[in-house]
Amino acid sequence: MAEERALAMVTCTAPVNIAVIKYWGKRDNDLILPINSSLSVTLHQDQLKTTTTAAASRDFTEDRLWLNGEEADVGHPRLQACLREVRRLARKRRGGSAEDSSPLNLSYKIHIATENNFPTAAGLASSAAGYACLGFLCRRGCWALEWAAGAQGGFGCSERGVTSWFLGPKVSGEKKQVGSTAGMQTSVDTSPLLKHRAEAVVPERLALMMRHIRERDFEGFGQLTMRDSNQFHATCLDTFPPIFYLNDLSRHIIALAHRFNAHHGRTKVAYTFDAGPNTVIFTLADTVAEFVEVVRRSFPPAANGDQFVRGLPVGSASLPEELVAAVVPEPVPGAVRYILHTQPGPGPQLLDDPSQHLLGADGLPHGRP
């Protein structure tokens, strides 16, 4: 009787997280320690998620990685550090016990497949979500609300109540010209503003933001979220040579949010941008329909009217003439591809259904020879 093939496979999903107090740059690249603490909102996986399958087998001859169906470089230092940690924890768990009957050898090579249901490298934390799946196994994820700057080898994880805020107009699915890792290092090396921000600005803002969240103070949350986004992009401009993650449409949406808030006399919507041009808008449930209609009027969909708003349902809203006159500029048809309506959600989740594995029994992505 042929010996049964030793193969283990696990699949998990992880969400997108959007930083409201941002970090930019690392003070220790080996331990992946940021120059300042940060605070993020984890978005719901029903709308935005990364799915990752990892498999180990005696028949694999090398570590391999597939990203969105295409084979990618498995030699990236951060990925290799993650794989070393997986093997270290597995070795620690076994503890050298002679009674361990596991068929897997710790020297077996690993195959990994990961897929995003949102644009990769477009400022939507795709790498964070991908590593969070692996980090769910090796405790080096990047999904939690708070990442403490002094937490060696990992992240300070804390769940804090966040009211039902929402989403972002998806401006661009294009890959950004300057990746986050390279951009961070250049900023650390050249931006005096970044150093001042990390040392003097962020600690106070972080404490204030956590208070706004605990107290359910949306206006305080919204204003600080926008200020921190603006300062982050100011550090990108202070970098030499400067880094441009926002585009003209990003700036149009910023102005639109400020006009909307000014019309209402208070902060009802808040924007934030990570390292890319795509906007995330936070708002309370009673404002969603009105602001979505404002965006629709400002950037009328060119050909996908029935698919312009995706994700969670959005009700209809009629806009008063005075609001339209004060807030809606000359329309720019087709400028916004679509809006995805979501809400905060849970962290990484293990999938128990084998049919959801991204790798087949041969350790290769489904459909590949």
Side-chain angles (χ1 to χ4, degrees):
M1 180 175 174
E3 182 181 1
E4 184 178 354
R5 186 184 189 205
L7 181 144
M9 191 177 299
V10 63
T11 297
C12 79
T13 62
V16 167
N17 71 81
I18 299 297
V20 292
I21 300 294
K22 302 181 187 298
Y23 99 94
W24 187 246
K26 301 178 181 70
R27 59 186 176 85
D28 188 314
N29 285 314
D30 292 332
L31 291 176
I32 317 180
L33 295 180
I35 63 172
N36 62 261
S37 298
S38 62
L39 192 67
S40 298
V41 174
T42 298
L43 302 182
H44 207 289
Q45 294 188 49
D46 284 352
Q47 288 78 45
L48 294 163
K49 69 180 177 182
T50 289
T51 302
T52 297
T53 295
S57 170
R58 66 162 61 92
D59 293 340
F60 297 164
T61 58
E62 59 182 343
D63 293 333
R64 296 178 72 180
L65 169 69
W66 291 267
L67 175 59
N68 293 327
E70 299 294 327
E71 190 155 12
D73 179 17
V74 76
H76 191 285
R78 200 187 325 177
L79 177 60
Q80 284 299 313
C82 201
L83 293 179
R84 285 195 299 272
E85 186 71 358
V86 169
R87 291 180 171 116
R88 184 190 71 81
L89 288 177
R91 189 174 293 111
K92 181 179 179 181
R93 187 171 294 113
R94 285 194 184 182
S97 171
E99 298 179 0
D100 193 327
S101 60
S102 171
L104 292 175
N105 188 298
L106 295 178
S107 65
Y108 287 176
K109 299 302 182 182
I110 298 176
H111 287 189
I112 299 168
T114 185
E115 291 184 355
N116 301 323
N117 68 348
F118 56 91
T120 300
L124 291 170
S126 57
S127 64
Y131 279 108
C133 276
L134 293 176
F136 191 51
L137 304 177
C138 72
R139 302 306 182 195
R140 289 203 174 185
C142 187
W143 62 271
L145 281 179
E146 183 181 358
W147 182 8
Q152 288 198 8
F155 304 86
C157 301
S158 57
E159 296 279 0
R160 292 189 170 86
V162 181
T163 28
S164 210
W165 303 325
F166 103 129
L167 93 87
K170 304 299 283 303
V171 174
S172 173
E174 296 180 0
K175 190 173 181 178
K176 55 198 176 191
Q177 293 183 349
V178 180
S180 296
T181 300
M184 286 181 190
Q185 189 57 52
T186 305
S187 295
V188 168
D189 292 341
T190 65
S191 173
L193 177 59
L194 180 62
K195 185 175 187 295
H196 170 74
R197 168 179 161 78
E199 294 176 354
V201 179
V202 168
E204 181 179 342
R205 284 187 172 178
L206 187 64
L208 183 58
M209 181 64 83
M210 291 166 69
R211 190 180 83 192
H212 291 324
I213 292 173
R214 283 194 300 267
E215 296 177 355
R216 302 292 198 271
D217 177 3
F218 181 79
E219 281 206 71
F221 167 90
Q223 290 183 23
L224 191 53
T225 293
M226 293 185 285
R227 288 179 182 274
D228 204 73
S229 177
N230 294 342
Q231 189 179 76
F232 158 58
H233 287 280
T235 65
C236 292
L237 292 177
D238 191 50
T239 300
F240 194 82
I243 304 171
F244 303 95
Y245 285 125
L246 304 184
N247 58 24
D248 287 343
L249 184 54
S250 307
R251 289 181 280 273
H252 278 305
I253 294 173
I254 289 173
L256 181 66
H258 282 289
R259 287 196 302 270
F260 184 83
N261 289 335
H263 175 76
H264 285 287
R266 59 192 176 96
T267 300
K268 298 195 70 175
V269 299
Y271 57 80
T272 189
F273 297 81
D274 279 353
N278 292 298
T279 319
V280 172
I281 298 290
F282 292 104
T283 188
L284 296 175
D286 60 5
T287 306
V288 171
E290 183 181 61
F291 191 69
V292 165
E293 185 60 26
V294 165
V295 173
R296 189 195 298 271
R297 294 278 195 97
S298 302
F299 310 103
N304 67 332
D306 59 336
Q307 291 294 313
F308 186 64
V309 180
R310 308 177 187 181
L312 295 175
V314 175
S316 59
S318 59
L319 303 182
E321 291 184 7
E322 60 271 18
L323 185 151
V324 175
V327 175
V328 178
E330 184 175 343
V332 185
V336 173
R337 294 172 56 213
Y338 61 91
I339 292 173
L340 181 63
H341 181 201
T342 185
Q343 61 186 355
Q349 308 287 314
L350 281 175
L351 301 182
D352 297 325
D353 183 357
S355 69
Q356 295 180 297
H357 291 326
L358 301 180
L359 298 172
D362 58 358
L364 299 176
H366 296 298
R368 294 180 67 94

